[in-house]
Amino acid sequence: MDALDTAKIKQTAWDKLDGKWSQAAVAVLVFMLISIVIDIPSAFFEKDSTGQNLWKIIETPFALGLDIGLYAYFLNFTRNKETPLKRLVVGFTSGWGFYFNLICTQILALLLICLWGLLLIVPGIMKAFSYSLIYFIILDHPEYSHFEVLQKSSNMMYGHRMELFVLCLRFIPWLLLGIVTCGIGFLWVCPYMTTAFCEFYQQLKAKNEDVPEVATLA
């Protein structure tokens, strides 16, 4: 199985952002502001109180809907498509069926990851990487059921989990840059990382188009 070149993926992401850094930074800023607004009610409760914990549970579905919007936005970047800001809220504007599928798939994935994690930490981490393509697959195949999304992600990531791990490691210096700039740098680091992950999916998808499916969630 041919390995993906993570250094090339990172460079391709940089090239696709050329001339679009300001647009990408604005999208991330809007994403962050919406995230802050969603979290505002938790500030009215005492720290670690029942009320605050309850709100954290309530806001999770909203956060998931927002997260997939961020990936949808930058997936358009990698595909050289028009990318309006409204793409950030695609999780909430694609119908209840899409949103329900997103929430249920994430809950099922989390449950399976936790079950594998009960065995040992490493299997749990490996399973998390296996399901790392969930957002992309739901965006490309909204007709898939929860199990079909997880199966597709697991099949595509088989033999490529280490490559995604290496790609994540390549961004450690950039994450540190975001920290030392008091978070301001994340307006550019986040688009870079997200575009790179989208490009990873794009290249992996191209490799798997003619590969037979393996019916397994392992």
Side-chain angles (χ1 to χ4, degrees), residues 7-203:
K8 186 176 180 180
I9 287 174
K10 193 163 173 275
Q11 182 59 49
T12 301
W14 180 275
D15 293 339
K16 289 187 175 182
L17 283 166
D18 185 37
K20 300 178 180 178
W21 285 101
S22 296
Q23 179 185 349
V26 168
V28 171
L29 179 60
V30 171
F31 171 83
M32 289 179 174
L33 290 175
I34 296 175
S35 298
I36 291 173
V37 170
I38 292 175
D39 194 51
I40 285 178
S42 66
F44 293 96
F45 300 101
E46 293 184 8
K47 186 177 180 181
D48 297 325
S49 65
T50 302
Q52 188 179 65
N53 292 331
L54 181 60
W55 179 253
K56 292 294 183 182
I57 295 174
I58 294 174
E59 74 173 328
T60 297
F62 295 99
L64 292 176
L66 193 57
D67 285 346
I68 198 171
L70 186 68
Y71 282 96
Y73 185 90
F74 285 100
L75 189 58
N76 270 20
F77 257 66
T78 65
R79 293 172 174 174
N80 297 314
K81 292 183 177 180
E82 183 181 352
T83 313
L85 278 176
K86 66 179 182 180
R87 187 75 172 154
L88 288 172
V89 292
V90 69
F92 306 108
T93 60
S94 298
W96 282 106
F98 180 91
Y99 187 64
F100 182 75
N101 188 29
L102 167 65
I103 301 302
C104 291
T105 302
Q106 282 286 35
I107 291 174
L108 182 58
L110 180 60
L111 177 61
L112 291 172
I113 291 170
C114 290
L115 289 175
W116 278 91
L118 290 176
L119 299 177
L120 283 172
I121 294 178
V122 173
I125 295 175
M126 291 177 65
K127 188 55 58 177
F129 274 94
S130 292
Y131 295 152
S132 59
L133 304 181
I134 285 177
Y135 285 151
F136 302 118
I137 295 171
I138 291 178
L139 287 167
D140 279 346
H141 299 282
E143 76 279 4
Y144 279 12
S145 68
H146 322 315
F147 285 102
E148 286 175 326
V149 172
L150 296 177
Q151 178 179 309
K152 182 70 174 179
S153 180
S154 185
N155 287 339
M156 289 180 67
M157 285 301 296
Y158 182 77
H160 297 284
R161 288 173 294 202
M162 182 55 70
E163 293 154 27
L164 182 56
F165 178 69
V166 171
L167 181 61
C168 292
L169 292 180
R170 289 183 179 278
F171 279 100
I172 289 179
W174 289 90
L175 291 172
L176 293 176
L177 177 63
I179 294 172
V180 299
T181 56
C182 300
I184 297 176
F186 284 116
L187 291 176
W188 290 271
V189 175
C190 184
Y192 190 14
M193 289 184 64
T194 309
T195 302
F197 294 153
C198 290
E199 181 62 27
F200 179 92
Y201 167 72
Q202 280 289 96
Q203 294 193 18

